[in-house]
């Protein structure tokens, strides 16, 4: 059995020694380096671009602008592109940081020097800027969403008359929660290397979905997808920002065609703050109605997020209220506040991440008002079925997660009052965790060789979550061979098509495809050995009837058949699994914080996360995912904000120097990650569900609830910075 074993990451050594090759490490013969010039105004048009100074720089080969860029052959709009306008196709400026020119040079230094010399003249127009991050200002600015392809979920939902129920409820909460824009900031900035051989394009890319890049670029050039090969061996973190095709990816491919040479564009950190996505700022108006015992009679959740003048990305925060608590009525609305800003996008735990900040803060406020333990309030409103649709859950052991987490934390015996520890006032808080379940079709192939080694092939991506370890584990489990005997080939559109690496979907989709492919190998072998496929198992290079003493050597079976290997194929089709069931992942997070009331400092002292996520393939890599989510949640709670300067229409700090994110010194070692014992065979034959994003949900609310416990201050605007704690 290798499923369920806590294997260390197979990719650990190559990553910590620098052996793993990322896109920006790659070089092609005769390659040009591309550096982007971005707009310095948020709205208007380009009236002229002087390339003269740039062309005088030694090594600069070409400067491409909207004037010399060929127009796209086919109209391109919406996903898989990150927004509905393509770069350098016209003179319009929609946001500061939009790409206005691409400098190509023989070296990176020359391209950077050239980019500094490109003179762009603008005719600015009045820009629409974000309004105050508060109600009612944002309510007045909000508009109904326009669907240009970037809604991933329903923007409006209602059940019963929630407004009426809230009006007559004995207990109500009506509060507004806000949070600033935040950037993904993966360690590896996005990068792309494009090269043409005749009409065939090869792209090395830092991406979460090689097949989407293949389809998008094929459409852009009007060539068949088979003429585009996309390779992504490693992606150094992504969190959503590499999910769609950014301007640099389209431009590298276009520039390589124009220049007749390979082109590599590796983004600067400033570029990541210029034209790529981020989590938009969000204001959420929450309403809860309950009876005297805390039973919810209605939930209203009204969300406004920042979007662009061209497209509406909708941050589906209402998904939290739609799925977590039993309530007879709900009214959920999503709207957009449009401004001349770059297009936001999904960021780790989109929707529920922000939504749970509001919902779980409001639940704590209700518990305080009722004088009820916040955990009891949640148990009293436990949703036995999907509260929006009434559908049964594919699996849900949230009650166990609450109970086991509470026990590990000591929640039930906790001190009722905050206490002092030196300069610190200590408080505790909790929240639920919730994340949507997204599944994508995937295919895989497994080849078992005569020597007992195997190759697993699937066109998935490695963004650092542990897939390079767990997919070989799944195949090894079926084939009865060690994980070390498996070679895993991924990240290439020439391999069987796999889904995107987002939405916490890989284990279910790609994992199930690998499982099926390995089972296909086993079935074929069984038939070759005249055994019934349904009752065989494999171990130590042999196959036999489960429980029987007799077994047959795989090598012998293959030799007799004159075959060097057996090839099995497998696929996962989400429509064939769990129809009629509602799927979510659940959990609970308990935190203890310290507040220094004089300095306004906030520290995480310990945390327990307890999760209901189905079967765990590898407890070590799974723990790392949830732990990473908790740290991410602490960043959301206490540190992260991408400050925007409206007078300039840009993010103030386009580098990591002015960005506060959690470092080791911010995070205590006392963090417990616990999984309840569960298998969900409806979500996927693997029995597991998604874990990459769940851990980031609920944390900000648990922290704010603990801060309230410690200080009596209810902070409703993130992040919880010293000035808010001193005020
Ligand atoms: Mo994530 S926002 O599903 O990459």
């Amino acid at each position: 059995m290798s499923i369920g074993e806590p294997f260390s990451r197979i990719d650990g050594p190559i990553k910590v020694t620098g052996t793993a090759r990322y896109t920006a490490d790659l070089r092609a013969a005769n390659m040009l380096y591309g550096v982007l010039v971005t707009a310095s105004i948020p709205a208007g048009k380009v009236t002229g671009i002087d390339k003269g100074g740039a062309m005088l720089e030694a090594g600069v080969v070409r400067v491409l602008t909207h004037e010399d860029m060929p127009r796209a052959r086919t109209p391109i709009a919406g996903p898989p592109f990150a927004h509905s306008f393509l770069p350098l196709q016209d003179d319009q400026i929609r946001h500061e940081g939009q790409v206005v020119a691409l400098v190509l040079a023989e070296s990176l230094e020359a391209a950077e020097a050239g980019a500094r010399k490109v003179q762009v003249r603008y005719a600015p127009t009045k820009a629409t800027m974000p309004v105050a991050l508060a109600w009612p200002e944002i309510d007045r600015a909000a508009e109904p969403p326009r669907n240009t392809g970037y809604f991933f979920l329903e923007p409006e939902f209602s059940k019963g008359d929630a407004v009426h129920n809230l009006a007559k409820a004995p207990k109500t909460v009506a509060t507004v929660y806000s949070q600033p824009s935040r950037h993904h900031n993966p360690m590896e900035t996005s990068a792309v290397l494009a090269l043409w051989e005749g009409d065939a394009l090869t792209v090395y890319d830092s991406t979460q979905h090689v097949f989407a890049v293949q389809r998008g670029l094929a459409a852009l050039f009007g060539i068949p997808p088979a003429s585009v090969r996309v390779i992504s061996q490693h992606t150094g973190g992504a969190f959503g920002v590499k999910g769609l095709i950014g301007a640099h990816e389209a431009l590298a491919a276009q520039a390589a065609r124009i220049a007749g040479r390979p082109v590599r564009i590796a983004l600067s950190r400033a570029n990541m703050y210029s034209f790529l996505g981020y989590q938009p700022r969000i204001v959420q108006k929450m309403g809860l109605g309950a009876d005297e015992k805390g039973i919810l009679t209605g939930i209203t959740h009204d969300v406004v997020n920042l979007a662009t003048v061209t497209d509406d990305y909708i941050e589906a925060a209402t998904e939290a209220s739609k799925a977590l608590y039993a309530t007879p009525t709900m009214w959920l609305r999503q709207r957009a506040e449009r401004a001349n800003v770059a297009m936001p996008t999904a960021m780790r735990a989109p929707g529920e991440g922000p939504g749970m900040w509001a919902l779980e803060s409001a639940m704590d406020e209700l518990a305080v008002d009722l004088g009820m333990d916040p955990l009891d309030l949640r148990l009293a409103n436990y949703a036995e079925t999907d509260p929006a649709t009434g559908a049964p859950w594919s699996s849900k052991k949230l009650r166990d997660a609450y109970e086991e987490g509470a026990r590990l934390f000591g929640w039930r015996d906790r001190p009722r009052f905050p206490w002092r520890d030196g300069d610190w006032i200590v408080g505790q808080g909790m929240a639920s965790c919730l994340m949507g379940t997204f599944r994508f079709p995937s295919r895989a192939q497994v080849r078992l060789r005569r020597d007992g080694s195997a190759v697993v092939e699937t066109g998935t991506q490695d963004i650092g979550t542990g897939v390079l370890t767990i997919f070989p584990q799944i195949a090894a489990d079926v084939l009865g061979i060690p994980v070390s005997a498996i070679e895993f080939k991924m990240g290439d559109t020439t391999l069987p098509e796999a889904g995107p690496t987002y939405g916490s979907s890989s284990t279910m989709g790609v994992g199930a495809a690998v499982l099926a492919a390995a089972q296909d190998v086993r079935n074929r072998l069984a038939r070759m050995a005249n055994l019934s496929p349904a009752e065989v198992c494999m171990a130590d290079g042999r196959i036999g009837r489960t429980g029987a003493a007799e077994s047959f050597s795989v090598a012998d079976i293959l030799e007799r058949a004159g075959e060097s290997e057996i090839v099995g194929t497998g696929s996962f089709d989400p429509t064939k699994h769990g129809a009629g069931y509602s799927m979510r992942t659940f959990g609970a997070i308990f935190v203890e914080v310290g507040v220094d009331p004089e300095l306004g400092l906030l520290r995480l002292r310990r945390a327990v996360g307890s999760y209901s996520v189905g079967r765990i393939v590898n407890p070590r890599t799974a723990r790392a995912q949830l732990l990473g989510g908790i740290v991410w949640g602490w960043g959301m709670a206490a540190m992260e904000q991408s400050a925007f300067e409206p007078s300039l229409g840009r993010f103030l700090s386009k580098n990591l120097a002015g960005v506060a994110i959690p470092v080791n010194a911010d995070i205590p070692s006392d963090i417990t990650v616990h999984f309840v014992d569960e298998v969900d065979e409806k979500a996927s034959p693997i029995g597991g569900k998604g874990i990459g994003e769940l851990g980031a949900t609920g944390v900000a609310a648990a922290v704010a609830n603990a801060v309230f416990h410690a200080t009596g201050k209810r902070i409703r605007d993130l992040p919880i910075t010293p000035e808010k704690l001193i005020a």
Side-chain angles (χ1 to χ4, degrees), residues 184 208 238-241 346-350 463 501-504 693:
H184 309 65
Q208 293 173 256
F239 312 111
V241 74
M347 189 175 92
R348 191 179 195 171
I463 63 167
T501 304
Y502 52 63
S504 306
E693 302 179 281

Side-chain angles (χ1 to χ4, degrees), residues 102 199 277 501 507 528 588 594 637:
L102 168 60
D199 279 335
T501 304
T507 301
M528 288 164 83

Side-chain angles (χ1 to χ4, degrees), residues 316-368:
T318 53
E319 285 296 303
S321 302
K322 203 176 189 174
L324 190 52
Y325 296 116
T327 173
T329 68
M330 57 174 91
W331 177 78
L332 317 173
R333 179 170 69 164
Q334 300 274 165
R335 287 176 297 162
E337 174 206 10
R338 296 193 189 111
N340 288 100
V341 294
M343 177 69 166
T345 195
M347 189 175 92
R348 191 179 195 171
E352 285 87 343
M356 292 293 279
W357 149 239
L359 176 62
E360 291 298 277
S361 291
M363 285 294 279
D364 201 69
E365 299 203 36
L366 180 61
V368 169

